[in-house]
Amino acid sequence: MRDGDGWVRCQCGQVHWGLHGAAGLLLVRTDLDPAAVLLQLRASWTHGGGTWALPGGALDSHEDSMTAAAREAWEEAGIDPSVLAFKAIFSDDHGNWRYDTVIAHARTDPGAHEANAESEDMRWVPIDEVERYELHPGLRRSWVELIDHVKSTLSGTN
Ligand SMILES: [Zn+2]
């Protein structure tokens, strides 16, 4: 068991996974036109199961959010960490708990597949089509802001 595994009763009134917070990887394939992001269908037995989310999970005490997001993407989706070009971090800070969305680019197919039992499906979804999916509630709330951050990483120097 990792030392970040556990539930936090948050100041926002909800309960969240990750004693040191949590992080997810928002991976953008820049070699696709239109650019597409990796969505993961969470297995029905998981928290928020049956909805589409980003690969991610709890931070260990020694990890920063980029390290944790990359590790989770490897464990859950088989994403090779060497293809990741980190671009930005979007923090959703609740006070005593935080979720960092780590935006990264990949110039090639990083070979995403369902690497463990937490995933039922993986899909590269064009950025403007993400909102049509049945998203995990946390991603649904943040996507309105995230989409602008993602697009700004694409319009800058790539
Ligand atoms: Zn909260």
Side-chain angles (χ1 to χ4, degrees):
M1 180 159 166
R2 299 180 180 278
D3 72 7
D5 285 353
W7 297 96
V8 171
R9 185 164 295 280
C10 183
Q11 291 168 354
C12 76
Q14 294 188 338
V15 174
H16 305 298
W17 180 253
L19 299 177
H20 308 289
L25 184 69
L26 206 174
L27 183 56
V28 188
R29 282 274 299 278
T30 58
D31 60 319
L32 298 176
D33 189 17
V37 303
L38 182 64
L39 292 185
Q40 171 191 23
L41 181 60
R42 297 185 62 80
S44 50
W45 58 268
T46 64
H47 185 57
T51 58
W52 293 86
L54 306 176
L59 270 67
D60 272 352
S61 56
H62 64 280
E63 284 182 322
D64 61 24
S65 48
M66 285 188 292
T67 308
R71 173 179 53 74
E72 292 281 347
W74 163 253
E75 290 174 359
E76 295 179 354
I79 299 290
D80 177 358
S82 70
V83 307
L84 303 178
F86 294 109
K87 296 294 177 181
I89 296 176
F90 176 78
S91 288
D92 185 8
D93 196 338
H94 294 205
N96 65 333
W97 188 84
R98 196 176 81 191
Y99 187 95
D100 283 346
T101 303
V102 177
I103 300 173
H105 290 182
R107 293 167 189 265
T108 58
D109 184 352
H113 61 277
E114 301 92 66
N116 73 13
E118 291 178 36
S119 316
E120 278 181 359
D121 197 4
M122 295 279 169
R123 212 170 284 178
W124 293 100
V125 179
I127 292 166
D128 286 321
E129 294 178 17
V130 169
E131 63 189 17
R132 295 185 205 164
Y133 280 69
E134 190 184 336
L135 302 178
H136 185 278
L139 180 57
R140 168 70 65 196
R141 274 193 304 275
S142 55
W143 182 250
V144 255
E145 290 182 83
L146 275 175
I147 188 170
D148 289 336
H149 287 276
V150 171
K151 287 183 172 177
S152 69
T153 66
L154 290 169
S155 58
T157 51
N158 184 21

